[in-house]
Amino acid sequence: MARLPRYFIPGCPQHIILRGNNRQAIFAAEADLRFWRDCVVEAAARFGLAIHAYVWMTNHVHLLASPGDAQSLPKTLQSAGRRYVQY
């Protein structure tokens, strides 16, 4: 069964949480954090996601962001995630 579409209100801030599997670390070094940040910032600019605040922890990430359209958030996270996994 397919996942239901994400609820979307244009410009409404959303709290986004990304976690490592089984609370495993997703950032092993400071360079990993910087690369992830760069991936997210570039993708957010490209897809129209306004990031207001963020917290990078070793095993999870919090973002407060407002999507410009219904695809801004998923496209940003998909793009950043794909780049980070290859890294």
Side-chain angles (χ1 to χ4, degrees), residues 6-7 12-19 49-50 52-55 57 60-67 73 77:
R6 181 176 281 114
Y7 189 69
C12 182
Q14 296 187 25
H15 179 213
I16 300 113
I17 303 170
L18 303 169
R19 295 186 178 118
L49 182 70
H52 309 298
Y54 59 86
V55 177
M57 306 297 283
H60 67 284
V61 172
H62 293 270
L63 293 171
L64 180 63
S66 298
L73 179 57
L77 296 180

Side-chain angles (χ1 to χ4, degrees), residues 9-81:
I9 299 172
C12 182
Q14 296 187 25
H15 179 213
I16 300 113
I17 303 170
L18 303 169
R19 295 186 178 118
N21 289 334
N22 298 320
R23 297 185 178 173
Q24 293 176 335
I26 52 177
F27 305 116
E30 186 70 28
D32 298 341
L33 286 161
R34 284 193 300 270
F35 185 77
W36 169 255
R37 180 200 59 212
D38 293 344
C39 290
V40 170
V41 167
E42 289 171 16
R46 186 171 0 139
F47 295 110
L49 182 70
I51 298 175
H52 309 298
Y54 59 86
V55 177
W56 313 138
M57 306 297 283
T58 56
N59 66 345
H60 67 284
V61 172
H62 293 270
L63 293 171
L64 180 63
S66 298
D69 61 54
Q71 293 302 309
S72 296
L73 179 57
K75 291 289 187 185
T76 297
L77 296 180
Q78 181 183 52
S79 176

